[in-house]
Amino acid sequence: MTGETAYLCEAGQQGVMILEYRGLDSLAVIPERIGGMPVTALAPYLFSAHQDHSAPSHSGGFWQSGSGQRISSDEALALPQVKGSCLEELRLPSALTQVGAYGFYNCENLRQLELYSATLDWGPGVFTGCSGIEEIKLHVDESRRSCMKEILAEIRQTVRVTYEGARRARLIFPEFFEEAVENTPARILVTNTHGCGQMYRNAFVRTQFQFAEYDRLFPHVQVQEPEKLAAELAVGRLRFPYGLSEKSRAGYMEYLREHWTAAACQAVESQGTEELRWLLEEIPYKEEELKDVVETANRRGNMPAVSILMDKMGTMGNSRRRRFVL
């Protein structure tokens, strides 16, 4: 992280609470320890720019810089607050146990979040207004209760999760939303759920994520979600096959064989160079499909992908010439 940071802290018996965060970056990193004590709590409205909220007085608080030094309030207040739309990426520490109410309220530009599954105490409304979250990296202790289900229930847009448990998995949880429709004759409201994201967010037993249930839902994604999203989900599960059964693997492979162009174009559009290389090596494709993806890469200005694809086309051409000579 470039630039200086400062934290207003309050020490307790169990650890340190962060009361205010200041810095020059859109990436906010909450440290593991301050003054030799673990950081265990974030104050309510910590990153929210909600103007109606007035923080309580913390007379026992102290300022500490990102380099680990105690600093004066004048030095800290020379740095801008990281709040609201200023926050784009956030990393939370492993000892964190509590996130205060509305901690990230209306942080609409927050895109990436890294956290640990052992953070179990999430106040109400923490993710209200965080409609921009796209990526979550979750470190999971599979022997303990996990906050994964609770977090996903709060984030209703499509979100990509890097699951760091005993092994790594790449998961996609599609969007879902609920619509209340009035049944006038019966004088009741009927709630309709759209999208298969809610089913995916229920792939748990208590708080433990169930890979087999997640994979069983793939036919729903094929029907209800865009082709490229389904292809991206399949690529993620095959590249990082933690908990993947042979039956589910065969189903994902079959889908990618039939939708290779969509999968490769998705990799090109998302700058997924490693995903593209994997597809070229692992999934059979036709030369016409390769040409379509080259055109997509050219339109997107993705020159690394163009280079990879042209090298592959050259290899195919050499192979044909060798066959012709024989």
Side-chain angles (χ1 to χ4, degrees):
M1 180 172 60
T2 61
E4 185 58 279
T5 55
Y7 322 98
L8 178 59
C9 313
E10 185 174 77
Q13 291 185 347
Q14 302 300 320
V16 172
M17 174 183 284
I18 302 295
L19 309 173
E20 189 174 328
Y21 187 102
R22 289 180 175 267
L24 300 175
D25 292 334
S26 58
L27 162 62
V29 179
I30 304 297
E32 288 284 341
R33 304 181 74 84
I34 288 179
M37 298 182 67
V39 175
T40 57
L42 304 183
Y45 290 90
L46 176 61
F47 289 103
S48 172
H50 190 49
Q51 296 299 316
D52 294 338
H53 168 65
S54 56
S57 174
H58 292 277
S59 58
F62 62 91
W63 284 101
Q64 180 150 322
S65 71
S67 58
Q69 304 297 316
R70 289 283 187 103
I71 58 176
S72 68
S73 59
D74 289 341
E75 291 175 290
L77 296 177
L79 294 168
Q81 283 186 299
V82 179
K83 280 183 171 289
S85 60
C86 297
L87 181 66
E88 296 181 8
E89 186 175 352
L90 177 62
R91 298 176 187 170
L92 301 178
S94 59
L96 189 71
T97 60
Q98 180 183 15
V99 179
Y102 300 98
F104 318 135
Y105 180 58
N106 276 355
C107 291
E108 57 188 11
N109 290 331
L110 179 59
R111 299 284 181 268
Q112 298 181 15
L113 178 65
E114 182 174 354
L115 70 152
Y116 289 76
S117 66
T119 304
L120 298 176
D121 187 355
W122 295 83
V126 170
F127 293 103
T128 300
C130 295
S131 58
I133 295 177
E134 301 170 342
E135 294 272 352
I136 295 177
K137 185 175 184 179
L138 182 65
H139 301 271
V140 181
D141 182 346
E142 295 170 333
S143 66
R144 301 173 57 187
R145 288 181 58 206
S146 168
C147 67
M148 181 176 177
K149 183 177 182 179
E150 181 180 357
I151 297 298
L152 291 172
E154 294 292 326
I155 301 173
R156 298 193 172 194
Q157 67 268 22
T158 297
V159 62
R160 291 155 179 83
V161 175
T162 300
Y163 179 104
E164 298 282 0
R167 289 167 56 193
R168 175 177 295 178
R170 281 287 292 172
L171 309 168
I172 296 179
F173 293 84
E175 177 185 22
F176 79 99
F177 65 94
E178 296 175 339
E179 178 185 30
V181 179
E182 183 179 5
N183 184 333
T184 304
R187 296 182 179 179
I188 60 174
L189 286 176
V190 178
T191 301
N192 296 324
T193 301
H194 301 273
C196 59
Q198 188 176 55
M199 289 187 290
Y200 271 83
R201 286 163 173 81
N202 286 329
F204 290 82
V205 170
R206 296 184 179 87
T207 67
Q208 300 304 311
F209 181 67
Q210 304 296 302
F211 288 97
E213 176 63 14
Y214 177 94
D215 293 327
R216 186 188 68 79
L217 296 170
F218 188 57
H220 294 277
V221 167
Q222 297 178 50
V223 173
Q224 299 184 47
E225 301 296 335
E227 179 186 24
K228 289 180 180 178
L229 183 68
E232 184 185 0
L233 189 154
V235 169
R237 286 299 286 134
L238 290 169
R239 288 188 67 222
F240 302 97
Y242 183 30
L244 184 65
S245 69
E246 190 57 39
K247 179 180 178 181
S248 294
R249 179 185 181 279
Y252 287 129
M253 290 290 289
E254 180 181 1
Y255 183 84
L256 289 179
R257 281 193 291 268
E258 296 174 358
H259 300 267
W260 190 89
T261 302
C265 287
Q266 164 62 27
V268 167
E269 292 168 5
S270 63
Q271 306 293 320
T273 302
E274 294 306 314
E275 289 85 347
L276 181 61
R277 292 185 189 276
W278 183 89
L279 282 163
L280 289 167
E281 295 298 326
E282 300 294 334
I283 310 296
Y285 56 88
K286 301 175 183 177
E287 185 174 3
E288 294 77 14
E289 294 174 317
L290 202 59
K291 291 178 179 178
D292 290 341
V293 181
V294 171
E295 291 180 7
T296 297
N298 274 315
R299 287 197 304 271
R300 293 280 179 167
N302 188 339
M303 292 302 104
V306 171
S307 177
I308 293 168
L309 293 163
M310 294 303 292
D311 286 347
K312 184 61 66 172
M313 290 183 71
T315 301
M316 294 174 69
N318 291 335
S319 176
R320 283 199 304 273
R321 285 194 289 274
R322 284 196 297 271
R323 287 196 297 269
F324 176 78
V325 170
L326 290 174

